[in-house]
Amino acid sequence: LYPIEEVGYKYQNFNIDPYYIKYDKKGNRHELKGRLYYFDPTSGIRGGFVNLDYQFYKEFKRGWKIVAGAGQDASLVKDGSFTPPLQKGFKWSIYTQVDKSWNKISITGGARSEFYKFENGFGAAYGFVRNNKVSGEITEIPIPLMRMGINYRPRKNTSVRFNIGQAFRIPSLVEYFIEYEFSGLNIFSNPDLKPEYGWTSELGFKQQWQTKKKVYHGSFDAAIFWQEYKDLVEYQVTFEGGVGLEPVNLPTARIAGYEVNLKQTVQTEDHRLNIDFGYTYAFPVQLAGFAGSQYNSVGKYIKDLFKYAGKIKNTPESVQSTAILKYRNRHLVNANLEYS
């Protein structure tokens, strides 16, 4: 394989990662982690990142545990392809999580909030927008993202789990500001991108087994998942300013499917053999436009999710095909054989 254009690339970087861990007299754990990272490639790009995180961990009586913390990230990047060439960004976060376990049941729940400042923009990674009908003023009310999960073990080697949680992603510097041309194809920036957010859920089952002398043991895991997104960032073809790709926010998107994993191990005193196999199927669609609006109906979506499960390519009908998200795998198979 030969590159279309000659490539010469040299760079230098360094990082320092200080950390401090302390246990107080009550057994509580305090952890302070930092990172200073600097990079300076000869292509004219240089920048640095500073990160500082504090985390607190405490165990209570009767199986209760809590972890809480806060952090800050700062970035400074200089690149001639950015507009303007020098970009500054800050991010603050605060979070907490509580865990409780009994004999057969364990639960977890948590919340996290993040705020960011990027050049002249400031906001919350996730929030509720309120529009004042009288004054027309728009106010963003930040709210934390939540997650919770439960695991039930009816028998020693059998477990059933359910979890649901919200998530978000702030677009990268590349998606916000990169302007690049490569062999006639333009990559455009979009400084008006919004953070993408949504929620994901999973219902799973796991069965484990082993022989009495533990020479052979294995597990079977099966799960179904459902994900909903808003303002999902995806590159789309554009003809403004030349033919190229531009990152845009898709109003709504949905990805659901199922996953199975089989793991087996044979082990003696001198030998070990691992055999793993897994398969994931997903049906990723956008829920906007003429093609995607039909999948706003949960019933129609579930019907097509199973109807086209055996198809390797996109769905045969052109209307459904244009609703499929272009950069998501429909089928994913993995297999691993390891002997030592």
Side-chain angles (χ1 to χ4, degrees):
L1 297 177
Y2 294 91
I4 297 176
E5 298 177 359
E6 183 178 354
V7 177
Y9 193 70
K10 298 179 180 179
Y11 67 94
Q12 57 183 354
N13 61 40
F14 70 85
N15 60 278
I16 303 174
D17 298 314
Y19 67 92
Y20 176 75
I21 300 175
K22 176 179 175 60
Y23 290 88
D24 59 28
K25 295 180 179 179
K26 296 183 179 180
N28 303 320
R29 188 173 188 265
H30 305 265
E31 182 175 352
L32 191 64
K33 295 190 298 183
R35 161 162 282 201
L36 171 62
Y37 178 74
Y38 172 80
F39 61 93
D40 182 13
T42 57
S43 59
I45 305 172
R46 62 180 59 184
F49 300 92
V50 179
N51 168 262
L52 186 64
D53 281 297
Y54 167 75
Q55 189 176 95
F56 170 80
Y57 177 78
K58 181 179 179 64
E59 291 189 16
F60 297 88
K61 296 179 180 179
R62 299 181 181 179
W64 288 95
K65 301 176 183 178
I66 184 172
V67 59
Q72 174 179 296
D73 295 284
S75 63
L76 184 67
V77 179
K78 184 177 182 180
D79 186 342
S81 64
F82 290 165
T83 307
L86 184 64
Q87 299 291 333
K88 300 183 294 294
F90 300 91
K91 185 174 67 174
W92 302 270
S93 61
I94 183 171
Y95 61 90
T96 185
Q97 178 172 303
V98 178
D99 299 286
K100 176 71 168 77
S101 59
W102 291 271
N103 185 27
K104 294 185 177 181
I105 298 178
S106 60
I107 59 173
T108 182
R112 179 184 180 93
S113 290
E114 281 206 10
F115 305 88
Y116 65 92
K117 184 180 186 303
F118 209 75
E119 290 301 314
N120 297 323
F122 175 79
Y126 181 73
F128 172 74
V129 178
R130 184 175 62 184
N131 189 353
N132 191 314
K133 297 182 179 179
V134 178
S135 63
E137 181 180 353
I138 297 177
T139 305
E140 185 181 45
I141 303 174
I143 56 177
L145 292 105
M146 312 294 290
R147 66 176 296 265
M148 62 84 63
I150 182 170
N151 189 294
Y152 174 60
R153 300 172 65 95
R155 300 173 60 187
K156 180 180 179 181
N157 296 320
T158 305
S159 63
V160 180
R161 67 185 182 274
F162 172 76
N163 59 74
I164 184 171
Q166 297 169 292
F168 66 91
R169 186 182 74 88
I170 299 175
S172 67
L173 288 170
V174 172
E175 293 166 330
Y176 269 131
F177 298 108
I178 194 72
E179 293 283 353
Y180 191 65
E181 188 274 333
F182 186 77
S183 299
L185 179 65
N186 295 284
I187 305 296
F188 297 107
S189 65
N190 187 353
D192 297 322
L193 285 174
K194 303 175 184 178
E196 60 182 36
Y197 64 95
W199 58 268
T200 179
S201 61
E202 178 196 49
L203 176 63
F205 167 83
K206 186 174 184 178
Q207 178 66 51
Q208 298 173 286
W209 57 83
Q210 65 180 13
T211 57
K212 291 183 178 180
K213 295 183 178 181
K214 300 182 180 180
V215 174
Y216 168 76
H217 61 88
S219 67
F220 173 78
D221 191 298
I224 57 175
F225 57 88
W226 191 289
Q227 302 169 335
E228 298 276 346
Y229 293 99
K230 288 190 176 181
D231 294 324
L232 185 70
V233 177
E234 184 165 278
Y235 278 89
Q236 301 222 346
V237 177
T238 180
F239 299 98
E240 296 183 11
V243 179
L245 297 173
E246 179 187 24
V248 298
N249 289 113
L250 300 180
T252 52
R254 177 179 294 155
I255 303 174
Y258 51 83
E259 181 178 61
V260 292
N261 286 283
L262 177 64
K263 296 184 178 183
Q264 301 179 88
T265 299
V266 179
Q267 183 171 2
T268 63
E269 184 177 346
D270 299 319
H271 305 273
R272 181 183 178 92
L273 176 67
N274 293 328
I275 304 174
D276 301 336
F277 174 80
Y279 169 71
T280 303
Y281 167 72
F283 191 58
V285 300
Q286 58 175 318
L287 303 180
F290 174 73
S293 60
Q294 61 182 318
Y295 289 127
N296 282 310
S297 168
V298 174
K300 169 65 175 174
Y301 176 82
I302 294 177
K303 178 182 177 181
D304 283 5
L305 183 150
F306 290 100
K307 179 179 179 181
Y308 299 114
K311 304 280 193 307
I312 297 299
K313 296 182 179 180
N314 285 341
T315 56
E317 292 87 350
S318 59
V319 174
Q320 283 93 335
S321 297
T322 55
I324 299 292
L325 297 177
K326 295 182 286 294
Y327 308 111
R328 301 296 191 280
N329 288 322
R330 296 279 306 282
H331 306 269
L332 180 64
V333 179
N334 66 81
N336 181 65
L337 176 65
E338 180 181 355
Y339 168 74
S340 57

